[in-house]
Amino acid sequence: MATQVERETETSEAQIAVHWREEEYIHPSPKFIGQANASDPAIFERFSEKNFPECFKEYADLLSWDQYWHTTLDTSNAPFWKWFVGGKLNASYNCVDRHLAKDRNKAAIIWVPEPEAEDTQAITYQELYRRVNEFAALLQDFCGLKAGDRVTLHMPMVPELPVTMLACARLGVIHSEVFGGFSGAACGDRAADSGSEVLITMDAYYRSGELIDHKIKADEAVTVSSEKGNEIKKVLVWQRYPGKSSSPTPMVPDRDVFVNELLNTYRGKIVPPVSMPAEAPLFLMYTSGTTARPKGCQHSTGGYLSYVAGTSKYYQDIHPEDTYWCMADIGWITGHSYIVYGPLALGATTVMYEGVPTYPDAGRAWRIAERLNVNIFHTAPTTIRMLRKVGPDEPKKYNYHFKHMTTVGEPIEPGVWEWYYNVVGKGEAAIVDTWWQTENGGFLGSTLPALQPMKPGSCGPGVLGINPVILDEEGNVVEAGSGRAGNICIRNPWPGIFQTVYGQPERFVEIYYAKYNKNKDSKDWHDWPYFAGDGALQAADGYFRILGRVDDVINVAGHRLGTKELESACLTIEEVAEAAAVPVMDEVRGRAVEMYVALKPGNKPSKEIEEKVGESIERLIGKVARPKAVWVVADMPKTRSGKIMRRVIASISNFTDVGDITTLANPDIVDTIRHQVQAEKVSRGQQPRELSPTELEEIKRFGQAE
Ligand code: WT7
């Protein structure tokens, strides 16, 4: 065993020693345990590594297969894993049709519009069946879509979104939903990448009391897509109020059609679900990475659906009689897996809310929970922080009772966790902190609620059938309890893992597998650990604490933003020569973005340029990415090879020590920028609180990925 001194000299950037206070265990209540789907500890044995991969049969058996598979896991084209090979099924059938016999009159989706005066809609399984079929008929007949075609969706939180997804799935058409809050340009970019000829959108939706024009984004999407060489031939527009115009943006003749008008032609039409191979793609979900080009994560039909059904059952603890509300947006993977596919595959009732959780006041979310008698609640740390900020005592005023709550998307601070537990959960609800990513399909790290105690700030161990490990830069295992951080990897494949980066298989291998693979011809899964791109620590009890991204990705309010995407949006501005995006600690959003720009010669810093930077990011990416501050600086700190030192800028923005700058080509600029930025921040009252050791490490590491 290495001595302490030796260890320290071995420590690389990814293995920094991080010390944090171990939180105490909190056990779920006996009431929760008594009713949990997973309450027999034998489940750990069933999913133990020696039963891999056959253990996942248990998840696949939650589904109805048209043809049962013959091979659980095919590794012949590693690391492009194939699950449940030989099997055939249809996702729409599994989420809708098969529940009709017993539950046709049960609510599948309960939709809550943002305006409180508007009626809540309960859509039964029967009604969902009719809507999905009629729309599938339209897609098939009017658009000529067939299995394998890609379709881009740019829809807000309305029931027409799951209807559209399930109609695509019925035909084997691959849907690619782009978060409704993203800009038209971002949508067009993704539509072009996926080769979609059809765009499905909605005219308008509510956000903080305002009926905002969404159709206008479709026009820009079509233009941007066409600039990238992909013609969108049809734009299908759902209307927020069928038959009534809610958007001033005109329809383009021969290209744009109102869905609800066309649907009259398809009234009562039934489209038989297309029986798809298990490994047929179900959908694409784009996410950010280290380059400006977004990655279309391709998810499978059989593996994905099995995985989300299984994890919804055991980790969300969904029972058929529960009222389950995941307050995420379906535009993100969380919504795909845990609003639509997981709960509906289980025949549960899933609640969808159109708008902002704090509109019109801090009690809105809790009124919805009370009225609908929601008993399982799922949200993100950023939302919890916001709800706490605007209404710390608000939950007490409402008579709802959650048995179970989950959190996802960012590390949750123990203090925020405690408020969630004591105030939102009223000390009654079990909590799971679920760690995973767009690429993963479903949860990777979490406690199994009835069987493993909670520990605030830690997601828990790997979930059933998932074997995580922390590796250092050289691929050595960083032992649990060593107090050292490293790169969290998953040693084995699992059914929910994405199949590839759409159209970029080499990037799939390069980003997620190349780092720790020693033999690229190996067909043995043991040789292909999945590199998640997160720094993490494992405590002696096996629980993981996720520290955050090790690449150039900034997690803003649970949304992944690539620094390169932000920077290239700035570089479209005439006057801008160089741009750098860095994270800054934010009380509510976890992290916010600050942009640094240097101008081309002959240009002077001005408020206009700062404005232009914000606008261009909003136009090219979306409002979520709008920087908190824009700093126009004389020059960027750079290495001798000309690389911008993002970690130095990040330290300035966060008031932390800039570290060693002696190797910079222009060390003098550091002080100049520091004075400029910090003086201004002080005058705006924006100095951050003192950072925790893990936050300090994040800033130190930032931008070191290349
Ligand atoms: C990144 C993935 C799929 C979930 C929604 C976000 C961070 C996610 C946790 C958690 C700490 C978390 C990681 C991950 N993250 N969940 N429970 N604790 N960090 O999906 O946009 O693909 O982002 O979010 O850094 O890599 P995403």
Side-chain angles (χ1 to χ4, degrees):
M1 229 186 91
T3 65
Q4 193 57 38
V5 176
E6 274 164 348
R7 269 213 197 127
E8 266 157 28
T9 50
E10 283 164 9
T11 302
S12 73
E13 208 66 58
Q15 316 173 266
I16 302 139
V18 184
H19 307 282
W20 82 88
R21 194 167 64 88
E22 280 279 330
E23 299 288 328
E24 301 287 316
Y25 285 135
I26 296 173
H27 294 268
S29 70
K31 201 166 142 198
F32 178 85
I33 296 172
Q35 59 80 62
N37 279 326
S39 55
D40 176 4
I43 198 165
F44 295 119
E45 171 67 16
R46 300 205 302 273
F47 279 87
S48 67
E49 200 172 339
K50 75 174 186 340
N51 291 326
F52 179 87
E54 301 309 322
C55 56
F56 285 114
K57 177 180 182 323
E58 196 167 322
Y59 284 1
D61 285 347
L62 295 170
L63 305 181
S64 304
W65 295 79
D66 302 333
Q67 191 179 303
Y68 209 66
W69 72 91
H70 50 70
T71 306
T72 310
L73 171 64
D74 172 354
T75 64
S76 60
N77 188 24
F80 297 89
W81 317 117
K82 288 198 182 109
W83 283 90
F84 310 129
V85 186
K88 284 187 145 189
L89 78 170
N90 182 279
S92 165
Y93 176 85
N94 270 281
C95 291
V96 188
D97 306 38
R98 67 169 177 153
H99 305 309
L100 293 178
K102 203 166 121 277
D103 286 322
R104 69 179 183 282
N105 296 322
K106 167 180 177 174
I109 298 171
I110 299 181
W111 180 62
V112 183
E114 192 190 72
E116 239 170 329
E118 232 171 82
D119 290 335
T120 290
Q121 285 183 24
I123 300 167
T124 63
Y125 274 97
Q126 172 64 29
E127 171 70 11
L128 183 62
Y129 173 73
R130 290 312 284 252
R131 290 200 199 184
V132 168
N133 273 281
E134 289 173 0
F135 192 58
L138 185 158
L139 293 175
Q140 193 171 49
D141 179 66
F142 179 77
C143 302
L145 289 168
K146 53 179 192 325
D149 292 344
R150 282 82 52 219
V151 168
T152 295
L153 282 47
H154 195 203
M155 295 184 64
M157 282 293 285
V158 290
E160 288 79 2
L161 173 51
V163 166
T164 302
M165 291 161 62
L166 293 164
C168 289
R170 199 163 187 87
L171 302 172
V173 168
I174 305 167
H175 58 76
S176 173
E177 154 75 0
V178 177
F179 170 56
F182 270 169
S183 67
C187 174
D189 197 20
R190 288 154 176 76
D193 193 87
S194 65
S196 300
E197 294 182 354
V198 176
L199 171 65
I200 307 176
T201 188
M202 176 156 260
D203 60 351
Y205 65 100
Y206 281 97
R207 211 65 213 152
S208 293
E210 195 192 334
L211 185 59
I212 56 176
D213 182 5
H214 190 61
K215 164 64 173 61
I216 192 167
K217 291 184 174 177
D219 293 3
E220 184 166 21
V222 173
T223 308
V224 168
S225 175
S226 149
E227 283 163 12
K228 308 225 155 168
N230 180 70
E231 295 307 325
I232 293 177
K233 303 199 172 103
K234 284 196 167 68
V235 178
L236 307 187
V237 185
W238 290 95
Q239 286 180 305
R240 175 62 174 76
Y241 296 101
K244 197 177 130 199
S245 170
S246 303
S247 154
T249 307
M251 298 288 275
V252 175
D254 302 326
R255 188 198 73 185
D256 302 354
V257 281
F258 286 125
V259 174
N260 33 284
E261 283 174 11
L262 263 182
L263 272 178
N264 292 326
T265 321
Y266 300 97
R267 191 165 53 83
K269 281 270 179 318
I270 298 298
V271 177
V274 179
S275 196
M276 299 299 292
E279 66 271 25
L282 178 61
F283 67 87
L284 304 180
M285 169 66 58
Y286 279 85
T287 192
S288 301
T290 45
T291 71
R293 184 172 171 191
K295 300 177 284 190
C297 297
Q298 179 182 312
H299 285 281
S300 72
T301 307
Y304 170 83
L305 201 62
S306 302
Y307 198 68
V308 297
T311 50
S312 292
K313 177 172 175 182
Y314 293 133
Y315 288 89
Q316 305 288 57
D317 199 49
I318 302 177
H319 296 60
E321 62 277 17
D322 289 326
T323 305
Y324 164 85
W325 182 17
C326 168
M327 199 171 65
D329 195 294
I330 297 175
W332 307 112
I333 190 74
T334 305
H336 273 52
S337 301
Y338 298 112
I339 298 178
V340 181
Y341 285 114
L344 294 181
L346 295 179
T349 298
T350 183
V351 175
M352 274 179 77
Y353 172 51
E354 177 180 30
V356 174
T358 51
Y359 181 84
D361 57 60
R364 183 63 192 276
W366 320 127
R367 279 201 292 286
I368 294 172
E370 178 185 76
R371 187 173 183 88
L372 302 180
N373 201 1
V374 171
N375 64 344
I376 307 177
F377 183 68
H378 186 21
T379 193
T382 183
T383 311
I384 303 169
R385 290 185 212 111
M386 171 60 76
L387 290 165
R388 177 169 77 159
K389 189 174 172 197
V390 298
D393 300 317
E394 210 61 20
K396 296 190 184 114
K397 300 181 192 158
Y398 297 93
N399 184 23
Y400 67 82
H401 297 281
F402 296 151
K403 68 163 180 173
H404 185 50
M405 306 193 299
T406 57
T407 162
V408 66
E410 310 158 69
I412 182 165
E413 303 80 354
V416 176
W417 192 99
E418 271 144 31
W419 183 77
Y420 195 38
Y421 183 76
N422 292 317
V423 183
V424 177
K426 305 181 178 184
E428 303 167 335
I431 295 185
V432 293
D433 177 353
T434 59
W435 167 74
W436 59 300
Q437 318 169 296
T438 305
E439 293 87 338
N440 309 151
F443 305 149
L444 292 184
S446 170
T447 50
L448 190 53
L451 294 171
Q452 292 166 329
M454 311 165 239
K455 190 161 79 174
S458 296
C459 66
V463 301
L464 295 168
I466 298 290
N467 299 285
V469 63
I470 295 186
L471 300 179
D472 68 14
E473 286 301 307
E474 286 73 47
N476 306 309
V477 173
V478 178
E479 297 298 335
S482 68
R484 288 187 301 150
N487 295 313
I488 187 164
C489 297
I490 310 299
R491 289 197 287 109
N492 60 294
W494 65 97
I497 182 67
F498 70 138
Q499 300 177 291
T500 189
V501 176
Y502 186 79
Q504 308 178 73
E506 58 307 320
R507 261 186 105 190
F508 172 76
V509 180
E510 180 53 37
I511 300 171
Y512 302 95
Y513 293 99
K515 190 172 175 88
Y516 292 121
N517 168 257
K518 294 193 189 84
N519 170 11
K520 45 185 206 347
D521 300 319
S522 171
K523 298 184 187 328
D524 179 351
W525 60 261
H526 294 88
D527 291 330
W528 296 93
Y530 168 82
F531 171 72
D534 276 327
L537 283 144
Q538 189 176 26
D541 61 6
Y543 281 33
F544 292 94
R545 182 166 169 127
I546 307 297
L547 303 175
R549 305 288 313 178
V550 295
D551 55 10
D552 290 352
V553 165
I554 307 179
N555 190 334
V556 178
H559 305 154
R560 239 157 99 173
L561 301 174
T563 49
K564 288 283 187 330
E565 269 174 278
L566 293 157
E567 290 160 7
S568 60
C570 294
L571 294 173
T572 61
I573 301 166
E574 188 52 49
E575 298 87 342
V576 173
E578 286 177 315
V582 297
V584 62
M585 301 300 151
D586 185 274
E587 183 197 343
V588 173
R589 294 156 72 82
R591 305 289 175 272
V593 172
E594 290 197 0
M595 274 319 299
Y596 283 71
V597 293
L599 305 180
K600 290 178 187 159
N603 292 290
K604 289 224 161 56
S606 66
K607 272 265 158 294
E608 285 69 55
I609 293 190
E610 289 174 27
E611 258 312 294
K612 269 193 193 175
V613 168
E615 271 163 21
S616 130
I617 289 175
E618 187 168 331
R619 186 170 52 80
L620 294 169
I621 305 176
K623 246 201 183 100
V624 281
R626 207 173 168 113
K628 190 171 177 181
V630 178
W631 307 108
V632 182
V633 293
D635 196 4
M636 301 279 184
K638 286 189 200 128
T639 60
R640 295 216 171 91
S641 58
K643 185 177 166 258
I644 300 178
M645 292 297 283
R646 290 187 182 75
R647 97 177 143 73
V648 173
I649 312 177
S651 312
I652 294 175
S653 275
N654 289 284
F655 289 77
T656 62
D657 178 12
V658 294
D660 181 11
I661 52 167
T662 52
T663 57
L664 295 190
N666 54 351
D668 296 347
I669 195 71
V670 176
D671 262 346
T672 315
I673 304 178
R674 184 172 32 214
H675 287 136
Q676 173 193 351
V677 170
Q678 295 187 346
E680 177 63 26
K681 282 187 170 227
V682 169
S683 78
R684 291 183 194 168
Q686 278 183 2
Q687 303 103 290
R689 54 177 166 73
E690 206 182 309
L691 304 194
S692 71
T694 54
E695 289 167 337
L696 283 170
E697 289 307 336
E698 178 185 329
I699 299 302
K700 242 203 235 168
R701 272 203 315 260
F702 191 72
Q704 306 288 300
E706 291 156 81

